[in-house]
Amino acid sequence: RIRGLAAIRDPYPRNLSSGRKDWDDKNLKVVRAKFRLNPGPDFDANLSLSYFRQRDNSGNDTVAVGQLPLTTGIAVGGITGIERDAVATNLGGLNDKRELAGEFTMRLGLGAVDLSTTTTYADLDNILTFDGDGTSARLVDATVFEQSKTFSQEVQLASAGSGPFDWIVGGYYFRDNTGFDTAIDVGTRTGSDG
């Protein structure tokens, strides 16, 4: 079984400042595939793979800020959009997220016991830009860089017979390698475009 999804939308608000002109656009693509092998009652294997890619500024036109950051941005010369179809920011980048993931499960009947394994892997690269003050002033313009690779392995032996009690024994291993950086652009603390 293979499934796919594409969600593409033109931007809605206009940027009143000199940053990127397209805001609240959408460019999302997802592909998922599942494979199953089941030749008999004593063996079952499943493989799931997925790929996710989003490269847009979906949702970045809405900034929930308190009164202090907003008035501070305006006080140092920044402007802000007060209508639903207007934003004001000097951000120029895109949010860019890519994830590749997979899972493999297997069950093997060995007479009196069942052997089960589950293996997972995920590789994520994420770049997120946001304007923390909601104005064209560069007070809290930030870019977050995240990279993550995870791997897990689970193995179980379980009783399969009709003995006096049921039992299960197993082991689990998990490894996560995540890097996280944030760059904050405080600029010149002016919101003027000139």
Side-chain angles (χ1 to χ4, degrees):
R1 177 187 307 178
I2 298 175
R3 296 180 184 180
L5 166 74
I8 299 170
R9 178 184 71 225
D10 289 335
Y12 174 65
R14 67 191 188 285
N15 189 358
L16 303 175
S17 190
S18 63
R20 185 173 187 267
K21 294 301 174 195
D22 296 338
W23 286 92
D24 198 31
D25 58 326
K26 184 173 276 276
N27 187 353
L28 167 71
K29 296 173 183 89
V30 179
V31 176
R32 291 188 178 141
K34 291 186 176 187
F35 306 95
R36 182 173 187 192
L37 179 61
N38 184 242
D42 291 330
F43 183 79
D44 187 45
N46 296 285
L47 176 65
S48 299
L49 300 170
S50 67
Y51 178 77
F52 175 96
R53 180 70 190 259
Q54 185 170 4
R55 196 172 151 74
D56 57 32
N57 271 313
S58 175
N60 241 2
D61 62 319
T62 305
V63 180
V65 296
Q67 192 63 34
L68 181 62
L70 184 60
T71 55
T72 303
I74 293 171
V76 297
I79 60 173
T80 189
I82 58 172
E83 298 172 13
R84 289 187 316 181
D85 66 343
V87 297
T89 182
N90 281 316
L91 288 178
L94 287 170
N95 293 331
D96 191 355
K97 182 177 185 179
R98 181 201 56 80
E99 182 179 46
L100 177 63
E103 177 180 275
F104 177 72
T105 60
M106 182 189 72
R107 186 195 60 78
L108 179 61
L110 301 170
V113 297
D114 284 340
L115 171 67
S116 300
T117 68
T118 301
T119 306
T120 66
Y121 176 78
D123 183 353
L124 169 72
D125 287 313
N126 190 15
I127 299 173
L128 171 67
T129 60
F130 63 92
D131 185 335
D133 59 74
T135 72
S136 62
R138 287 190 171 140
L139 295 177
V140 189
D141 292 356
T143 304
V144 176
F145 303 91
E146 177 187 14
Q147 290 184 324
S148 177
K149 292 183 195 244
T150 59
F151 173 81
S152 72
Q153 178 68 56
E154 181 176 5
V155 178
Q156 292 182 351
L157 279 174
S159 60
S162 58
F165 59 93
D166 293 329
W167 57 268
I168 186 169
V169 63
Y172 181 76
Y173 172 79
F174 178 78
R175 184 182 74 229
D176 178 23
N177 184 6
T178 299
F180 189 85
D181 264 329
T182 302
I184 298 178
D185 179 4
V186 293
T188 59
R189 297 212 181 256
T190 180
S192 65
D193 289 332

PDB file of all heavy atoms in Angstrom, residues 116-138:
ATOM      1  N   SER A 116       9.435 -11.906  18.611  1.00  0.00           N
ATOM      2  CA  SER A 116       8.947 -10.674  17.988  1.00  0.00           C
ATOM      3  C   SER A 116      10.041  -9.626  18.038  1.00  0.00           C
ATOM      4  O   SER A 116      10.747  -9.506  19.046  1.00  0.00           O
ATOM      5  CB  SER A 116       7.718 -10.137  18.724  1.00  0.00           C
ATOM      6  OG  SER A 116       6.676 -11.074  18.709  1.00  0.00           O
ATOM      7  N   THR A 117      10.177  -8.859  16.963  1.00  0.00           N
ATOM      8  CA  THR A 117      11.133  -7.753  16.931  1.00  0.00           C
ATOM      9  C   THR A 117      10.455  -6.534  16.324  1.00  0.00           C
ATOM     10  O   THR A 117       9.595  -6.655  15.448  1.00  0.00           O
ATOM     11  CB  THR A 117      12.397  -8.086  16.106  1.00  0.00           C
ATOM     12  OG1 THR A 117      12.045  -8.189  14.725  1.00  0.00           O
ATOM     13  CG2 THR A 117      13.054  -9.355  16.573  1.00  0.00           C
ATOM     14  N   THR A 118      10.875  -5.376  16.800  1.00  0.00           N
ATOM     15  CA  THR A 118      10.445  -4.103  16.226  1.00  0.00           C
ATOM     16  C   THR A 118      11.675  -3.209  16.120  1.00  0.00           C
ATOM     17  O   THR A 118      12.391  -3.003  17.099  1.00  0.00           O
ATOM     18  CB  THR A 118       9.387  -3.408  17.110  1.00  0.00           C
ATOM     19  OG1 THR A 118       8.262  -4.280  17.243  1.00  0.00           O
ATOM     20  CG2 THR A 118       8.940  -2.101  16.499  1.00  0.00           C
ATOM     21  N   THR A 119      11.910  -2.690  14.923  1.00  0.00           N
ATOM     22  CA  THR A 119      13.033  -1.790  14.665  1.00  0.00           C
ATOM     23  C   THR A 119      12.471  -0.497  14.093  1.00  0.00           C
ATOM     24  O   THR A 119      11.653  -0.533  13.174  1.00  0.00           O
ATOM     25  CB  THR A 119      14.023  -2.409  13.654  1.00  0.00           C
ATOM     26  OG1 THR A 119      14.414  -3.696  14.121  1.00  0.00           O
ATOM     27  CG2 THR A 119      15.240  -1.533  13.467  1.00  0.00           C
ATOM     28  N   THR A 120      12.907   0.655  14.627  1.00  0.00           N
ATOM     29  CA  THR A 120      12.472   1.948  14.091  1.00  0.00           C
ATOM     30  C   THR A 120      13.676   2.835  13.831  1.00  0.00           C
ATOM     31  O   THR A 120      14.715   2.717  14.493  1.00  0.00           O
ATOM     32  CB  THR A 120      11.526   2.688  15.053  1.00  0.00           C
ATOM     33  OG1 THR A 120      12.238   3.040  16.243  1.00  0.00           O
ATOM     34  CG2 THR A 120      10.312   1.846  15.393  1.00  0.00           C
ATOM     35  N   TYR A 121      13.522   3.734  12.862  1.00  0.00           N
ATOM     36  CA  TYR A 121      14.569   4.710  12.542  1.00  0.00           C
ATOM     37  C   TYR A 121      13.882   5.979  12.053  1.00  0.00           C
ATOM     38  O   TYR A 121      12.895   5.918  11.314  1.00  0.00           O
ATOM     39  CB  TYR A 121      15.504   4.177  11.449  1.00  0.00           C
ATOM     40  CG  TYR A 121      16.543   5.176  11.021  1.00  0.00           C
ATOM     41  CD1 TYR A 121      17.673   5.405  11.803  1.00  0.00           C
ATOM     42  CD2 TYR A 121      16.389   5.917   9.862  1.00  0.00           C
ATOM     43  CE1 TYR A 121      18.622   6.331  11.428  1.00  0.00           C
ATOM     44  CE2 TYR A 121      17.336   6.858   9.478  1.00  0.00           C
ATOM     45  CZ  TYR A 121      18.445   7.055  10.258  1.00  0.00           C
ATOM     46  OH  TYR A 121      19.389   7.981   9.892  1.00  0.00           O
ATOM     47  N   ALA A 122      14.408   7.123  12.448  1.00  0.00           N
ATOM     48  CA  ALA A 122      13.891   8.408  11.961  1.00  0.00           C
ATOM     49  C   ALA A 122      15.046   9.381  11.814  1.00  0.00           C
ATOM     50  O   ALA A 122      15.959   9.418  12.642  1.00  0.00           O
ATOM     51  CB  ALA A 122      12.843   8.971  12.909  1.00  0.00           C
ATOM     52  N   ASP A 123      15.008  10.160  10.739  1.00  0.00           N
ATOM     53  CA  ASP A 123      16.019  11.170  10.443  1.00  0.00           C
ATOM     54  C   ASP A 123      15.280  12.470  10.152  1.00  0.00           C
ATOM     55  O   ASP A 123      14.515  12.557   9.191  1.00  0.00           O
ATOM     56  CB  ASP A 123      16.849  10.725   9.244  1.00  0.00           C
ATOM     57  CG  ASP A 123      17.976  11.692   8.900  1.00  0.00           C
ATOM     58  OD1 ASP A 123      18.043  12.774   9.506  1.00  0.00           O
ATOM     59  OD2 ASP A 123      18.779  11.355   8.012  1.00  0.00           O
ATOM     60  N   LEU A 124      15.480  13.486  10.994  1.00  0.00           N
ATOM     61  CA  LEU A 124      14.749  14.753  10.900  1.00  0.00           C
ATOM     62  C   LEU A 124      15.721  15.911  10.743  1.00  0.00           C
ATOM     63  O   LEU A 124      16.717  16.001  11.475  1.00  0.00           O
ATOM     64  CB  LEU A 124      13.912  14.973  12.170  1.00  0.00           C
ATOM     65  CG  LEU A 124      13.297  16.360  12.361  1.00  0.00           C
ATOM     66  CD1 LEU A 124      12.146  16.575  11.388  1.00  0.00           C
ATOM     67  CD2 LEU A 124      12.824  16.551  13.787  1.00  0.00           C
ATOM     68  N   ASP A 125      15.452  16.787   9.779  1.00  0.00           N
ATOM     69  CA  ASP A 125      16.130  18.076   9.633  1.00  0.00           C
ATOM     70  C   ASP A 125      15.040  19.139   9.638  1.00  0.00           C
ATOM     71  O   ASP A 125      14.101  19.064   8.845  1.00  0.00           O
ATOM     72  CB  ASP A 125      16.910  18.165   8.320  1.00  0.00           C
ATOM     73  CG  ASP A 125      18.157  17.330   8.320  1.00  0.00           C
ATOM     74  OD1 ASP A 125      18.903  17.404   9.316  1.00  0.00           O
ATOM     75  OD2 ASP A 125      18.400  16.610   7.341  1.00  0.00           O
ATOM     76  N   ASN A 126      15.181  20.135  10.513  1.00  0.00           N
ATOM     77  CA  ASN A 126      14.137  21.130  10.676  1.00  0.00           C
ATOM     78  C   ASN A 126      14.761  22.510  10.826  1.00  0.00           C
ATOM     79  O   ASN A 126      15.646  22.708  11.660  1.00  0.00           O
ATOM     80  CB  ASN A 126      13.295  20.788  11.916  1.00  0.00           C
ATOM     81  CG  ASN A 126      12.054  21.631  12.028  1.00  0.00           C
ATOM     82  OD1 ASN A 126      11.631  22.295  11.087  1.00  0.00           O
ATOM     83  ND2 ASN A 126      11.457  21.626  13.207  1.00  0.00           N
ATOM     84  N   ILE A 127      14.313  23.450  10.006  1.00  0.00           N
ATOM     85  CA  ILE A 127      14.709  24.855  10.133  1.00  0.00           C
ATOM     86  C   ILE A 127      13.425  25.649  10.309  1.00  0.00           C
ATOM     87  O   ILE A 127      12.530  25.593   9.462  1.00  0.00           O
ATOM     88  CB  ILE A 127      15.489  25.353   8.905  1.00  0.00           C
ATOM     89  CG1 ILE A 127      16.770  24.554   8.718  1.00  0.00           C
ATOM     90  CG2 ILE A 127      15.792  26.847   9.040  1.00  0.00           C
ATOM     91  CD1 ILE A 127      17.510  24.868   7.433  1.00  0.00           C
ATOM     92  N   LEU A 128      13.322  26.357  11.410  1.00  0.00           N
ATOM     93  CA  LEU A 128      12.120  27.111  11.749  1.00  0.00           C
ATOM     94  C   LEU A 128      12.507  28.570  11.959  1.00  0.00           C
ATOM     95  O   LEU A 128      13.384  28.869  12.770  1.00  0.00           O
ATOM     96  CB  LEU A 128      11.485  26.546  13.026  1.00  0.00           C
ATOM     97  CG  LEU A 128      10.349  27.343  13.644  1.00  0.00           C
ATOM     98  CD1 LEU A 128       9.138  27.331  12.729  1.00  0.00           C
ATOM     99  CD2 LEU A 128       9.997  26.794  15.009  1.00  0.00           C
ATOM    100  N   THR A 129      11.856  29.473  11.227  1.00  0.00           N
ATOM    101  CA  THR A 129      12.097  30.910  11.424  1.00  0.00           C
ATOM    102  C   THR A 129      10.855  31.532  12.052  1.00  0.00           C
ATOM    103  O   THR A 129       9.730  31.124  11.745  1.00  0.00           O
ATOM    104  CB  THR A 129      12.381  31.615  10.080  1.00  0.00           C
ATOM    105  OG1 THR A 129      11.268  31.452   9.217  1.00  0.00           O
ATOM    106  CG2 THR A 129      13.619  31.044   9.417  1.00  0.00           C
ATOM    107  N   PHE A 130      11.080  32.483  12.938  1.00  0.00           N
ATOM    108  CA  PHE A 130       9.923  33.184  13.500  1.00  0.00           C
ATOM    109  C   PHE A 130      10.315  34.571  13.965  1.00  0.00           C
ATOM    110  O   PHE A 130      11.462  34.856  14.265  1.00  0.00           O
ATOM    111  CB  PHE A 130       9.247  32.401  14.624  1.00  0.00           C
ATOM    112  CG  PHE A 130      10.098  32.174  15.835  1.00  0.00           C
ATOM    113  CD1 PHE A 130      10.072  33.055  16.889  1.00  0.00           C
ATOM    114  CD2 PHE A 130      10.933  31.063  15.908  1.00  0.00           C
ATOM    115  CE1 PHE A 130      10.854  32.844  18.015  1.00  0.00           C
ATOM    116  CE2 PHE A 130      11.713  30.842  17.024  1.00  0.00           C
ATOM    117  CZ  PHE A 130      11.679  31.733  18.079  1.00  0.00           C
ATOM    118  N   ASP A 131       9.319  35.436  13.992  1.00  0.00           N
ATOM    119  CA  ASP A 131       9.459  36.823  14.409  1.00  0.00           C
ATOM    120  C   ASP A 131       8.765  36.954  15.753  1.00  0.00           C
ATOM    121  O   ASP A 131       7.545  36.945  15.840  1.00  0.00           O
ATOM    122  CB  ASP A 131       8.804  37.720  13.361  1.00  0.00           C
ATOM    123  CG  ASP A 131       9.000  39.198  13.636  1.00  0.00           C
ATOM    124  OD1 ASP A 131       9.205  39.565  14.809  1.00  0.00           O
ATOM    125  OD2 ASP A 131       8.941  39.989  12.682  1.00  0.00           O
ATOM    126  N   GLY A 132       9.552  37.041  16.820  1.00  0.00           N
ATOM    127  CA  GLY A 132       9.004  37.014  18.166  1.00  0.00           C
ATOM    128  C   GLY A 132       8.377  38.296  18.660  1.00  0.00           C
ATOM    129  O   GLY A 132       7.726  38.296  19.699  1.00  0.00           O
ATOM    130  N   ASP A 133       8.562  39.424  17.944  1.00  0.00           N
ATOM    131  CA  ASP A 133       7.961  40.666  18.429  1.00  0.00           C
ATOM    132  C   ASP A 133       6.796  41.128  17.559  1.00  0.00           C
ATOM    133  O   ASP A 133       6.112  42.072  17.906  1.00  0.00           O
ATOM    134  CB  ASP A 133       9.021  41.772  18.526  1.00  0.00           C
ATOM    135  CG  ASP A 133       9.678  42.054  17.194  1.00  0.00           C
ATOM    136  OD1 ASP A 133       9.035  42.668  16.342  1.00  0.00           O
ATOM    137  OD2 ASP A 133      10.843  41.655  17.016  1.00  0.00           O
ATOM    138  N   GLY A 134       6.547  40.478  16.424  1.00  0.00           N
ATOM    139  CA  GLY A 134       5.388  40.803  15.601  1.00  0.00           C
ATOM    140  C   GLY A 134       5.485  42.099  14.825  1.00  0.00           C
ATOM    141  O   GLY A 134       4.485  42.592  14.320  1.00  0.00           O
ATOM    142  N   THR A 135       6.698  42.658  14.714  1.00  0.00           N
ATOM    143  CA  THR A 135       6.883  43.900  13.958  1.00  0.00           C
ATOM    144  C   THR A 135       8.071  43.751  13.009  1.00  0.00           C
ATOM    145  O   THR A 135       8.787  42.753  13.031  1.00  0.00           O
ATOM    146  CB  THR A 135       7.163  45.095  14.894  1.00  0.00           C
ATOM    147  OG1 THR A 135       8.494  44.985  15.434  1.00  0.00           O
ATOM    148  CG2 THR A 135       6.154  45.183  16.023  1.00  0.00           C
ATOM    149  N   SER A 136       8.301  44.784  12.212  1.00  0.00           N
ATOM    150  CA  SER A 136       9.441  44.774  11.295  1.00  0.00           C
ATOM    151  C   SER A 136      10.757  45.067  12.011  1.00  0.00           C
ATOM    152  O   SER A 136      11.826  44.926  11.417  1.00  0.00           O
ATOM    153  CB  SER A 136       9.215  45.801  10.176  1.00  0.00           C
ATOM    154  OG  SER A 136       9.122  47.104  10.732  1.00  0.00           O
ATOM    155  N   ALA A 137      10.708  45.462  13.275  1.00  0.00           N
ATOM    156  CA  ALA A 137      11.942  45.686  14.039  1.00  0.00           C
ATOM    157  C   ALA A 137      12.630  44.348  14.296  1.00  0.00           C
ATOM    158  O   ALA A 137      11.972  43.331  14.464  1.00  0.00           O
ATOM    159  CB  ALA A 137      11.625  46.371  15.366  1.00  0.00           C
ATOM    160  N   ARG A 138      13.930  44.364  14.314  1.00  0.00           N
ATOM    161  CA  ARG A 138      14.681  43.133  14.570  1.00  0.00           C
ATOM    162  C   ARG A 138      15.020  43.043  16.055  1.00  0.00           C
ATOM    163  O   ARG A 138      16.156  43.220  16.461  1.00  0.00           O
ATOM    164  CB  ARG A 138      15.944  43.106  13.726  1.00  0.00           C
ATOM    165  CG  ARG A 138      15.660  42.848  12.291  1.00  0.00           C
ATOM    166  CD  ARG A 138      16.924  42.583  11.513  1.00  0.00           C
ATOM    167  NE  ARG A 138      16.587  42.139  10.185  1.00  0.00           N
ATOM    168  CZ  ARG A 138      17.223  42.516   9.104  1.00  0.00           C
ATOM    169  NH1 ARG A 138      18.244  43.330   9.190  1.00  0.00           N
ATOM    170  NH2 ARG A 138      16.854  42.066   7.931  1.00  0.00           N
TER     171      ARG A 138
END
